[in-house]
Amino acid sequence: MLTYPNVARPSRRGLALALPLTLLIAACGASASPSASPAPTPKATPTAVPGAGGEPGAGGGAIGGGGSNGNTGGGIVFPIPPLPGDDPLLGQATNVTPKPGRLNPHPVSVQLVRAAADKQGVRIELRWWSGVEECYATDSVTVQRDDAAKAIKLTVIEGSNAEDVACIDIALLKATVVDVGVLAAGKWVISAEGDAPAINVDVE
């Protein structure tokens, strides 16, 4: 004959009392836990390539004059980001217009390339460190364009206005804009002579 041990079963009354007590303990534990601190608000970060819609923020100077197909100007405004951060290349620059015929022309090292593309064409801004324009004059910007490879390389040429001139030794951030006109649709690679990294521009 098989026998089974007697197992005491909890009464319904005991369960009815235990359930509210459990819920009360859980609620107290939840209220005692520290509340999660709100996530910090992200700060706007500047970009080197504003793209077709431009960059957020305002400021900067308008680059006037010029036409297309390699001319400087184009009327585009490349704004200064609201928070340029630690990158001085994104600060206020002196806009210069190349004047061919300078003495001792030589290429300079471009430090920043950015571009804006729309239905009117593509404008490319170049930024570099130099001296005062009286002594380190911007002569020209050469444009090498390869339509098959969808690549453009620009070189900024500087020279001097005179052989013997006293120059103030001050570092000056300069900028100029080159309007390369309407480009074929696709992804173009734009680079410049110097340390600036190449950028990609999507043309629709």
Side-chain angles (χ1 to χ4, degrees), residues 69-70 107-110 112-113 115 122 124-126 140-157 178-180 183 188-201:
N69 301 323
V108 299
S109 177
V110 174
L112 177 69
V113 177
V122 176
I124 304 167
E125 186 193 52
L126 308 172
S140 58
V141 179
T142 62
V143 179
Q144 294 175 306
R145 175 171 161 177
D146 187 339
D147 290 324
K150 287 188 171 59
I152 294 176
K153 183 173 182 179
L154 303 102
T155 303
V156 175
I157 306 294
V178 178
D179 187 343
V180 295
L183 302 177
W188 285 74
V189 178
I190 300 176
S191 62
E193 182 72 25
D195 298 328
I199 62 172
N200 293 322
V201 175

Side-chain angles (χ1 to χ4, degrees), residues 5 7 9-10 23 37 45 54 56 60 71 79 85 114 117 119-120 132 145 154 159 204:
V7 178
R9 298 181 180 176
L23 293 175
S37 60
T45 54
N71 296 327
R114 58 182 186 166
K119 293 180 180 179
Q120 281 70 46
V132 292
R145 175 171 161 177
L154 303 102
E204 297 181 354

